[in-house]
Amino acid sequence: MLDKNYKAAEVEAAIYAEWEKSGAFACHPDSKAASYTIAMPPPNVTGSLHMGHALTFTLQDILIRWRRMQGRDALWQPGTDHAGIATQMVVERELALEQTDRHKLGREKFIERVWQWKEQSGSTITRQLRALGASPDWSRERFTMDEGLSAAVRKVFVTLYREGLIYRDKRLVNWDPVLHTGISDLEVENIETKGSLWHIRYPVEGTDRHIVVATTRPETMLGDSGVAVHPEDERYQDLVGKFVILPLVGRRIPIVADEYADPKTGSGAVKITPAHDFNDFEVGKRHDLALINIFDRDAKLNDAVPEAYRGMDRFAARKKIVADLEALGLMEKIEPHTLQVPHGDRSGAVIEPWLTDQWYCDAKTLAQPAIASVEQGKTVFVPKTWENTFFEWMRNIQPWCISRQLWWGHQIPAWYGPDGKIYVAETEAEAQAQAGAGVTLARDSDVLDTWFSSGLWPFSTLGWPDETKELKRYYPTDVLVTGFDIIFFWVARMMMMGLHFMRDVPFRTVYIHALVRDERGQKMSKSKGNIIDPLVLIDKYGTDALRFTLTALAAQGRDIKLAESRVEGYRNFVTKLWNASRYAEMNECKLVAGFDPSSCKMTVNRWIVGALAEAAANVTDALEAFKFNEAADALYHFAWGTFCDWYVEFTKPILTGTDEAAKAETRAAAAWVLAQTAHLLHPIMPFVTEVLWREWTGGRDGLLMVKVWPRYAFAVDRDAVAELDWTVTLIAKIREVRAEMNIPGAAELPAFVAAQAQQREWIARHLDQIKRLARLKSVEFATPATKMIQIGADGAELFLDAAGAVDLDQEKARLAKEKGAIEIELGKIDQKLGNAQFMAKAKPEAIEEQRERQAEKQAALDRVGAALARLGA
RNA sequence: GGGCGAUUAGCUCAGCGGUAGAGCGCCUCGUUUACACCGAGGAUGUCGGCGGUUCGAUCCCGUCAUCGCCCA
């Protein structure tokens, strides 16, 4: 006998262990079944499960479990990402606690230390994925720095280099002066900041005129190598080609005409600092201005500036420069100004555009096939609107800076000879061979952007560059499930790399889900303190409740605002299901081998198996279309609203009755429907359904997770549906009237019925149920002589004998109100049907529908009228 | 500045060219052979404003407002 409540916390770990031990998570490369593949977006090895993970992995697990039950050879490829900067920072923090740092340790020892950390702590996230119930093929778990994946990275790098798609270049890079590395545009967060706009007067050489330039970063003036004005700006026509003398520095720099200068902003003239601003860099290139680097790697002023400023931090220098300019009377004015300040997404430091040698990937070339593939529908985004986002990014893609000045990551397979000549090769030996024996080589100390290796994930995890059978079988993957925040970081890169190296898209479908936000719609973040920890919810309500909640809220194209009350509500749903099973068990509803749902004779059973079949079809359709919330909704309403609320209540009299044949059929049908419901719920709520399945089968029939997904050949019995719907409506109406008339719930009232043959038959068949659920003492087929409460149902009139407990004036008022409501409805319909335009132009179905409604309402009106007449109103 | 999305019950959200829905909350009643993490019943909506298309608009189009996100 089941306990009264399901205790998720006590059973989940054991159930999971059983699944994992059974081998049911594994793919079968030699199977004849069609494959179904999802490459799991590898969480950072430093990560711990947050709500976004919980959502994305729940949805992926639903798809995988569902397809697996459908008989597909499902591969959910798991793994973790080495997460260069993030991981290095974690270990560096540890070192700081030990009063040391990576430089004292040296590169080799430091990397050893990171690996150690990875061995000890790197499994946190995978352990938490297990708590979530995720069912990937753990035997195939990969790590982006595994030997195999590293070999793939080297091969890709070397190949792209030889194809000219990777190259070394001196350009401005987003420099993080705290982490001492360049980062890609995507890793930069622009934060709106209140600052100032300083207007500085630059003296024009050989005149007593000044030209005023406005800047948000006065300290960079030390690196100015020009002033730009708009070519059509009349104010400065005569100055173009002349020079200004840069204050504080004394450098003579040209005034150039360039459209970058906006005549409407400030004075219309801008200072140009080509070495420290991306726009200025371009202007400088056009006019051949000098690149004057004034910062060191800490963003402190270097020796290229006047002595007074050397070694100063950029922000301290700003103050001093402003003060010095004011002292010289060269500060025209200072205005408050809000601007976007670039920050490193990891360090939070203000990013400095800095001139360095970096490795770049020619993303523009690689992007073309990716764009074409989406245009041609080889890869489809769901919802489709995200394709615009993808195109927008891909069509304006910039060279991708792939080198990072870090230690943790894939070291770039490039070596330099004493003369600076570059040798790129997969191994040092090859590079040596290229250079010739005896040439001393030094390896490039940089590592690759983490996204470089994760871009290979869909094929590197399958064994590429070896032509493994897994690669052949599981690439391209079927669907990628991810959030829109990494369309650029990851989806785009996988598309580029996959198409280039595999000659095919990495996935057929990209399902983009929402971001999980808090109740107020705010992004969850540590600083806001609004984080809801999925593990806390799991402890409190069980994994299934959390999974069901996320599924029910995962409507396409919307952010998810998560309220804990929803989780609680769906925990209640788990309990409801549990107790329905408990009820079934108490009534000896046992699974019957070979039960054929279409063989049911009783209407109520024919009805419930039909309703189940319909729910099953709805769930399948919803999953096919990635409409997770609709699948959850269909199951919730079938299980609770149909099965528990009506079928269970309806069959109670049968199960406690004496008709053995009826009992047997009902028990078998109830058990079957419940078990099928568990099948349908399993992908969303794997734990409780597995526990119940074991309870019903005694563990003799294997695991639910490998059972066949429901699909039925039998047709829904429409007559049974009509009969039950009518009966349910009748009961609901009686209950409604009773409540309205304040008839005590316990009072059992005699009833009389005047009905057509069909309805008489229906009432007779479900007499016990109607009496029980509507609290009737007796039902007599006759029209009563006295005045009573009167309830109309289609084809029947039911009279309730409240025996003086009810004031007939009250009943008259009730009927009058009902009449009024019907008249309003009928009026609207009459108006519509009386509209010549409507009759001429509306679809025939729409007209027919209105006619039917008109007839319905008219009949109801007649009935209420007759009832009122009988009461003498 | 460019783009995307949202605006529906007190709250969180579905939905949709022709009867406006769910969960939570609220109110009333209730312990009848699963379940009070329950059951029965109920109240609450000019579907953001204004125009347009249409026989008909909460739904399609335009516009405005407000909010959110992404990109410059």
Side-chain angles (χ1 to χ4, degrees):
Chain A
M1 180 68 172
L2 293 169
D3 288 342
K4 208 162 153 182
N5 284 295
Y6 167 62
K7 299 193 178 67
E10 291 174 15
V11 296
E12 286 179 357
I15 292 285
Y16 193 89
E18 214 177 306
W19 285 331
E20 202 174 350
K21 203 178 83 199
S22 77
F25 294 172
C27 67
H28 300 96
D30 296 318
S31 124
K32 289 201 185 86
S35 67
Y36 183 81
T37 314
I38 297 179
M40 174 190 290
N44 285 358
V45 68
T46 52
S48 62
L49 196 76
H50 57 61
M51 216 34 103
H53 287 131
L55 171 68
T56 197
F57 294 132
T58 293
L59 298 183
Q60 290 172 52
D61 195 45
I62 288 169
L63 291 173
I64 280 289
R65 284 179 182 271
W66 165 55
R67 293 297 193 185
R68 195 186 280 131
M69 289 173 83
Q70 278 189 331
R72 301 281 286 272
D73 169 28
L75 167 60
W76 189 12
Q77 171 63 50
T80 48
D81 190 286
H82 68 278
I85 295 182
T87 312
Q88 178 160 329
M89 282 173 74
V90 167
V91 177
E92 285 192 89
R93 270 199 295 271
E94 268 188 9
L95 292 180
L97 291 178
E98 298 164 22
Q99 312 288 326
T100 182
D101 62 51
R102 70 182 159 112
H103 298 289
K104 285 184 195 150
L105 220 57
R107 183 164 186 150
E108 204 172 315
K109 284 259 184 284
F110 177 75
I111 289 174
E112 245 174 62
R113 179 69 188 254
V114 180
W115 276 107
Q116 251 173 39
W117 179 90
K118 190 253 173 190
E119 296 312 322
Q120 283 162 15
S121 312
S123 55
T124 301
I125 186 76
T126 52
R127 206 172 49 244
Q128 292 171 331
L129 274 173
R130 285 173 165 90
L132 191 66
S135 65
D137 187 348
W138 290 117
S139 70
R140 298 189 47 80
E141 185 178 347
R142 296 290 186 271
F143 179 54
T144 47
M145 293 230 324
D146 281 350
E147 185 38 47
L149 274 69
S150 299
V153 165
R154 287 192 297 271
K155 184 169 177 87
V156 164
F157 187 94
V158 171
T159 307
L160 290 175
Y161 177 78
R162 290 191 182 143
E163 291 169 344
L165 294 170
I166 282 181
Y167 53 92
R168 196 155 168 78
D169 199 4
K170 195 180 201 76
R171 295 171 51 109
L172 283 190
V173 67
N174 301 297
W175 182 259
D176 187 321
V178 170
L179 296 175
H180 295 139
T181 180
I183 57 179
S184 76
D185 296 345
L186 286 173
E187 291 160 281
V188 176
E189 281 176 353
N190 289 303
I191 300 176
E192 194 170 278
T193 311
K194 286 199 170 72
S196 304
L197 197 59
W198 285 273
H199 297 255
I200 309 171
R201 294 148 61 99
Y202 283 7
V204 179
E205 186 192 39
T207 71
D208 51 6
R209 287 174 67 184
H210 287 82
I211 192 162
V212 176
V213 296
T215 178
T216 57
R217 299 200 56 198
E219 69 279 12
T220 62
M221 69 163 292
L222 301 178
D224 283 2
S225 56
V227 169
V229 296
H230 196 275
E232 278 151 35
D233 194 333
E234 286 170 6
R235 291 169 293 181
Y236 302 110
Q237 291 288 334
D238 58 325
L239 292 182
V240 172
K242 292 199 159 56
F243 292 82
V244 299
I245 302 300
L246 189 61
L248 306 180
V249 181
R251 185 159 53 237
R252 183 171 173 267
I253 59 175
I255 299 168
V256 300
D258 194 285
E259 291 185 350
Y260 169 65
D262 179 2
K264 283 182 224 112
T265 318
S267 67
V270 288
K271 61 193 268 314
I272 302 297
T273 322
H276 295 293
D277 181 283
F278 288 96
N279 288 313
D280 293 6
F281 182 82
E282 296 302 323
V283 176
K285 258 204 322 212
R286 287 198 284 272
H287 301 280
D288 204 19
L289 301 178
L291 286 156
I292 302 166
N293 181 9
I294 60 165
F295 291 120
D296 66 12
R297 59 183 218 140
D298 294 312
K300 287 186 175 146
L301 291 165
N302 64 15
D303 291 352
V305 303
E307 213 168 326
Y309 306 103
R310 287 182 195 163
M312 286 185 85
D313 177 77
R314 51 190 161 160
F315 299 111
R318 176 179 300 176
K319 275 187 195 150
K320 180 166 166 57
I321 285 167
V322 168
D324 291 352
L325 287 169
E326 278 178 331
L328 290 169
L330 293 173
M331 189 61 74
E332 170 112 346
K333 60 176 171 177
I334 305 173
E335 291 175 318
H337 182 72
T338 34
L339 68 160
Q340 301 285 329
V341 178
H343 289 71
D345 64 355
R346 288 291 165 189
S347 68
V350 174
I351 292 303
E352 194 62 57
W354 204 44
L355 202 58
T356 53
D357 286 307
Q358 300 283 349
W359 290 94
Y360 287 90
C361 177
D362 179 358
K364 196 155 190 73
T365 301
L366 290 173
Q368 301 316 311
I371 294 168
S373 295
V374 175
E375 281 170 345
Q376 291 158 16
K378 287 179 185 159
T379 291
V380 176
F381 281 71
V382 179
K384 213 170 176 57
T385 53
W386 291 111
E387 287 179 6
N388 293 329
T389 307
F390 176 82
F391 286 140
E392 186 59 30
W393 166 256
M394 291 297 260
R395 285 174 183 149
N396 298 300
I397 199 161
Q398 298 297 311
W400 172 19
C401 175
I402 53 173
S403 43
R404 296 288 181 278
Q405 288 67 53
L406 304 174
W407 288 356
W408 176 243
H410 298 101
Q411 194 171 353
I412 290 175
W415 285 262
Y416 302 95
D419 54 354
K421 195 160 187 277
I422 300 172
Y423 303 94
V424 170
E426 287 181 49
T427 63
E428 183 159 9
E430 266 179 62
Q432 192 69 63
Q434 283 177 28
V439 177
T440 312
L441 292 182
R443 185 165 184 178
D444 193 313
S445 59
D446 289 356
V447 301
L448 287 163
D449 179 7
T450 302
W451 296 101
F452 191 87
S453 54
S454 29
L456 317 180
W457 188 252
F459 52 94
S460 64
T461 51
L462 295 173
W464 188 90
D466 293 339
E467 301 231 346
T468 61
K469 64 182 172 189
E470 286 84 358
L471 188 64
K472 217 172 150 191
R473 181 168 173 74
Y474 300 112
Y475 190 97
T477 67
D478 286 83
V479 55
L480 175 77
V481 177
T482 189
F484 60 80
D485 49 333
I486 55 173
I487 290 179
F488 307 144
F489 277 110
W490 195 46
V491 180
R493 272 101 186 235
M494 283 192 288
M495 286 292 284
M496 295 193 277
M497 294 298 197
L499 280 159
H500 195 76
F501 289 95
M502 294 296 295
R503 307 279 158 211
D504 198 354
V505 293
F507 20 74
R508 301 288 182 214
T509 302
V510 181
Y511 175 70
I512 300 288
H513 60 247
L515 249 44
V516 186
R517 300 176 186 280
D518 76 358
E519 267 175 283
R520 291 209 206 81
Q522 308 226 318
K523 207 165 168 173
M524 291 189 193
S525 74
K526 274 186 200 151
S527 54
K528 281 186 206 141
N530 60 348
I531 298 217
I532 306 177
D533 184 347
L535 296 165
V536 169
L537 292 181
I538 285 175
D539 277 349
K540 208 163 159 190
Y541 301 107
T543 302
D544 291 326
L546 175 65
R547 287 175 60 121
F548 200 93
T549 306
L550 292 170
T551 310
L553 294 176
Q556 282 178 13
R558 271 249 210 190
D559 287 344
I560 294 180
K561 290 182 202 157
L562 186 68
E564 189 171 327
S565 61
R566 294 299 293 249
V567 188
E568 192 183 347
Y570 291 120
R571 185 274 319 267
N572 295 352
F573 176 56
V574 173
T575 307
K576 187 75 181 175
L577 190 75
W578 182 262
N579 277 288
S581 308
R582 192 160 170 262
Y583 163 84
E585 196 174 44
M586 287 168 73
N587 285 285
E588 294 173 63
C589 301
K590 293 193 179 106
L591 282 170
V592 173
F595 173 79
D596 174 6
S598 66
S599 72
C600 286
K601 299 204 168 49
M602 301 175 69
T603 324
V604 68
N605 291 329
R606 296 180 67 76
W607 165 72
I608 197 65
V609 299
L612 181 266
E614 225 154 37
N618 290 340
V619 172
T620 306
D621 289 350
L623 291 178
E624 298 268 8
F626 299 99
K627 293 185 173 172
F628 296 97
N629 59 317
E630 289 183 13
D633 199 55
L635 284 163
Y636 186 91
H637 285 106
F638 173 76
W640 198 320
T642 303
F643 186 80
C644 292
D645 286 351
W646 289 105
Y647 179 76
V648 165
E649 294 306 327
F650 241 83
T651 50
K652 276 177 181 169
I654 301 170
L655 294 175
T656 53
T658 52
D659 182 338
E660 290 305 323
K663 257 196 217 176
E665 180 183 296
T666 301
R667 281 173 174 158
W672 182 82
V673 170
L674 205 48
Q676 292 299 299
T677 306
H679 282 67
L680 294 167
L681 280 165
H682 183 264
I684 308 179
M685 307 202 308
F687 289 105
V688 69
T689 50
E690 190 71 74
V691 173
L692 289 173
W693 176 252
R694 193 168 53 187
E695 183 76 17
W696 298 329
T697 59
R700 287 178 299 275
D701 201 16
L703 294 167
L704 178 60
M705 77 162 284
V706 295
K707 292 298 164 218
V708 178
W709 183 254
R711 228 180 116 232
Y712 312 110
F714 66 88
V716 173
D717 181 348
R718 295 288 152 205
D719 292 341
V721 172
E723 179 172 335
L724 264 295
D725 281 355
W726 185 86
T727 311
V728 162
T729 307
L730 178 70
I731 293 166
K733 277 190 175 169
I734 298 171
R735 283 171 167 175
E736 195 183 317
V737 172
R738 289 179 61 119
E740 197 178 341
M741 305 295 286
N742 294 317
I743 296 168
E748 295 190 336
L749 306 181
F752 299 85
V753 176
Q756 293 169 13
Q758 173 79 90
Q759 281 72 18
R760 263 210 307 277
E761 188 191 324
W762 290 348
I763 291 174
R765 183 142 55 227
H766 307 297
L767 191 59
D768 286 346
Q769 284 84 347
I770 295 168
K771 280 164 71 178
R772 181 190 147 81
L773 297 175
R775 308 290 293 159
L776 301 180
K777 189 174 192 174
S778 58
V779 175
E780 196 176 320
F781 288 107
T783 304
T786 54
K787 293 174 179 176
M788 291 183 184
I789 297 171
Q790 196 171 332
I791 298 162
D794 204 11
E797 205 60 30
L798 188 135
F799 303 88
L800 224 44
D801 184 1
V806 165
D807 177 359
L808 285 177
D809 283 340
Q810 200 187 342
E811 169 66 355
K812 278 185 213 165
R814 183 186 74 81
L815 288 170
K817 194 175 144 202
E818 197 181 334
K819 188 176 167 207
I822 297 168
E823 277 167 347
I824 289 171
E825 284 289 310
L826 195 56
K828 283 188 203 161
I829 300 166
D830 286 344
Q831 200 178 14
K832 214 169 227 182
L833 288 169
N835 181 343
Q837 298 279 14
F838 174 74
M839 297 308 284
K841 294 187 179 171
K843 281 181 292 191
E845 305 94 83
I847 295 174
E848 188 46 38
E849 201 182 314
Q850 294 302 321
R851 284 220 170 95
E852 276 168 25
R853 286 193 61 215
Q854 185 186 40
E856 238 170 69
K857 295 289 168 194
Q858 189 57 56
L861 191 62
D862 292 349
R863 207 160 52 215
V864 174
L868 279 167
R870 205 168 290 116
L871 291 177

